[in-house]
């Protein structure tokens, strides 16, 4: 992993299938939480690690990402940064960001990448200096978020943006442990993709052992995730959609997943 020598990351399950993530710099003591599905789970994680929370980054307004925010902020006094688009929806934000904004959290320069589609406010957070990103409910391992507020074209444009902006070695955290079901679906799209077959086996082994399948990497997702591969000729061929645009192919894949 491309983590710097002083960064430690703690990921832990919250609610049914959400993840909490704490990112900590051992030198400065900076500790960043990404989303707060459950305040108690975060308090426990902070106790387990001995870290003191300094910042909370929010990816989007959905309940299962912010419902613990008020309580955790009250208990820790951490600075809360989230999407400007949800200024009215998310209580307790100290600072808001729009696409392309940079925020400093201790030694970390964190980039806000607007990736609307699942929701209109969705922000993916990227820390280039340590090669880590959190893609919220936009990009999952072997999947992408359901399109609730935007449209499928918007979601494809957001995923394309991540393809452009996140280097292959970027370590990807995301909001949910959906990978096993995503793997089953992905194999219906590209059954002959060896990278997908290998990842599906790995995921089955990890889940059987009770282990998380996240984080993943951009390289792994580019090789196996059909939602990111909508522009690949092999996917067009597998779907019998040669000559169609990546947007059309993404729309077909997302529609099939919605109906699966
Ligand atoms: Zn969501």
């Amino acid at each position: 992993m491309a983590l710097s020598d002083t960064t430690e990351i703690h990921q832990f399950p919250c609610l049914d299938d959400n993840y909490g993530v704490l990112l900590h710099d051992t030198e400065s003591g900076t500790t960043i939480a990404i989303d707060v599905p459950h305040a108690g789970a975060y308090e426990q994680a902070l106790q387990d690690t001995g870290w003191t929370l300094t910042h909370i980054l929010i990816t989007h307004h959905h309940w299962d990402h912010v419902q613990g925010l008020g309580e955790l902020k009250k208990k820790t006094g951490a600075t809360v940064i989230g999407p400007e688009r949800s200024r009215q929806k998310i209580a307790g934000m100290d600072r808001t960001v729009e696409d392309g904004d940079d925020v400093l959290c201790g030694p970390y320069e964190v980039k806000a990448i607007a990736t609307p589609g699942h929701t209109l406010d969705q922000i993916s957070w990227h820390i280039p200096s340590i090669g880590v990103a959190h893609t919220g409910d936009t990009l999952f391992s072997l999947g992408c978020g359901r399109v609730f507020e935007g449209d499928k074209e918007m979601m494809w444009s957001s995923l394309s943006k991540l393809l452009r902006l996140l280097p292959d070695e970027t370590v990807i955290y995301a909001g949910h442990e959906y990978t096993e079901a995503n793997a089953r679906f992905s194999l219906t799209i590209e059954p002959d993709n060896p990278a997908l077959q290998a990842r599906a086996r790995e995921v089955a082994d990890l889940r059987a052992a009770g282990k998380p399948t996240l984080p993943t990497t951009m390289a792994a997702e580019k090789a196996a995730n059909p939602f990111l591969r909508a522009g690949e000729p092999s996917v067009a061929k597998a779907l019998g959609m040669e000559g169609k645009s990546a947007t059309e192919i993404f729309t077909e894949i997302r529609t099939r997943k919605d109906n699966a």
Side-chain angles (χ1 to χ4, degrees):
M1 295 219 262
L3 300 184
S4 79
D5 289 347
T6 64
T7 299
E8 293 175 12
I9 298 182
H10 179 52
Q11 174 184 257
F12 50 96
C14 285
L15 307 177
D16 287 340
D17 51 32
N18 285 72
Y19 280 122
V21 174
L22 286 171
L23 186 148
H24 176 73
D25 174 49
T26 54
E27 210 163 87
S28 63
T30 301
T31 303
I32 303 169
I34 300 166
D35 288 342
V36 193
H38 190 271
Y42 264 98
E43 284 167 50
Q44 186 62 52
L46 288 163
Q47 205 168 25
D48 292 345
T49 53
W51 300 341
T52 302
L53 194 64
T54 54
H55 299 81
I56 301 171
L57 302 178
I58 298 296
T59 62
H60 66 298
H61 69 84
H62 278 163
W63 172 88
D64 60 322
H65 294 256
V66 299
Q67 65 113 13
L69 176 57
E71 191 181 336
L72 190 64
K73 180 180 176 171
K74 202 162 122 194
K75 291 210 163 120
T76 61
T79 301
V80 181
I81 307 159
E84 165 63 23
R85 252 199 112 107
S86 282
R87 177 183 283 281
Q88 309 298 334
K89 278 193 185 127
I90 303 172
M93 290 196 290
D94 300 296
R95 180 168 173 198
T96 59
V97 293
E98 295 184 86
D99 186 38
D101 285 350
D102 283 317
V103 291
L104 266 185
C105 300
Y108 299 111
E109 195 175 309
V110 186
K111 288 194 160 300
I113 306 173
T115 49
H118 174 72
T119 57
L120 293 178
D121 67 340
Q122 183 90 37
I123 297 287
S124 293
W125 297 102
H126 180 211
I127 313 181
S129 64
I130 55 169
V132 171
H134 193 298
T135 54
D137 284 359
T138 298
L139 173 64
F140 296 123
S141 185
L142 303 182
C144 76
R146 200 173 270 269
V147 178
F148 287 121
E149 296 178 6
D151 57 27
K152 293 184 174 76
E153 192 173 346
M154 186 189 281
M155 184 58 123
W156 171 243
S157 155
S158 291
L159 292 173
S160 303
K161 199 171 178 184
L162 294 177
L163 282 169
R164 268 198 319 278
L165 295 178
L166 301 182
D168 279 359
E169 62 274 16
T170 309
V171 174
I172 307 286
Y173 288 82
H176 292 271
E177 180 61 64
Y178 289 158
T179 318
E180 202 164 23
N182 287 345
R184 276 196 298 275
F185 172 76
S186 295
L187 283 166
T188 68
I189 301 294
E190 261 199 307
D192 299 326
N193 176 346
L196 172 57
Q197 292 166 347
R199 175 66 173 151
R201 280 193 299 273
E202 179 188 47
V203 165
D205 289 347
L206 285 167
R207 296 312 290 158
K211 291 181 181 160
T213 64
L214 294 173
T216 178
T217 64
M218 268 318 267
E221 295 308 312
K222 279 160 93 167
N225 185 336
F227 294 91
L228 277 187
R229 294 170 53 76
E232 297 291 321
S234 61
V235 174
K237 188 153 183 271
L239 293 174
M241 293 179 70
E242 289 103 327
K244 301 285 187 192
S245 71
T247 306
E248 287 170 298
I249 289 166
F250 174 80
T251 298
E252 172 66 19
I253 297 172
R254 189 58 254 180
T255 302
R256 287 192 191 192
K257 179 70 161 66
D258 292 345
N259 298 330

